[in-house]
């Protein structure tokens, strides 16, 4: 964690809890300043997920509306609706 001063154990716990509730993980410049990241775990047939889909974009190039579209698309794809 020393390389990432904005990240604390408490912040990690909060983000894990938020990801579990939302079904996806999101970072707005937390790890790399100016970069937005979104990820979703792909459920495994047995046991914990071993794969994930993720995307990253420069924060200045995305809007909240676009991010909401990406979230809906990823969650829809996981349900096999895409």
């Amino acid at each position: 964690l020393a390389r990432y001063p904005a990240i604390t154990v408490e912040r990690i716990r909060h983000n894990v809890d938020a990801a579990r509730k939302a079904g996806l993980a999101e970072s707005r410049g937390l790890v790399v300043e100016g970069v937005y990241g979104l990820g979703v775990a792909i459920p495994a047939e047995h046991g914990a997920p071993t794969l994930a889909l993720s995307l990253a974009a420069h924060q200045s190039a995305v809007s909240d509306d676009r991010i909401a579209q990406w979230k809906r698309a990823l969650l829809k794809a996981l349900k096999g609706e895409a």
Side-chain angles (χ1 to χ4, degrees):
L1 291 176
R3 291 182 60 197
Y4 305 99
I7 301 174
T8 63
V9 172
E10 293 79 22
R11 186 120 190 222
I12 291 170
R13 288 184 178 132
H14 170 78
N15 288 357
V16 168
D17 185 51
R20 287 180 174 152
K21 288 177 182 171
L24 46 83
E26 183 175 25
S27 172
R28 293 177 184 255
L30 180 62
V31 178
V32 178
E33 186 177 336
V35 175
Y36 173 82
L38 180 66
V40 61
I42 299 172
E45 192 171 317
H46 303 287
T50 58
L51 298 171
L53 293 174
S54 65
L55 61 87
H58 198 276
Q59 284 181 287
S60 65
V62 298
S63 66
D64 287 339
D65 288 340
R66 187 67 179 142
I67 290 168
Q69 290 174 348
W70 290 339
K71 288 178 181 181
R72 285 191 302 272
L74 282 175
L75 293 173
K76 221 174 155 180
L78 279 179
K79 294 178 184 176
E81 298 172 6

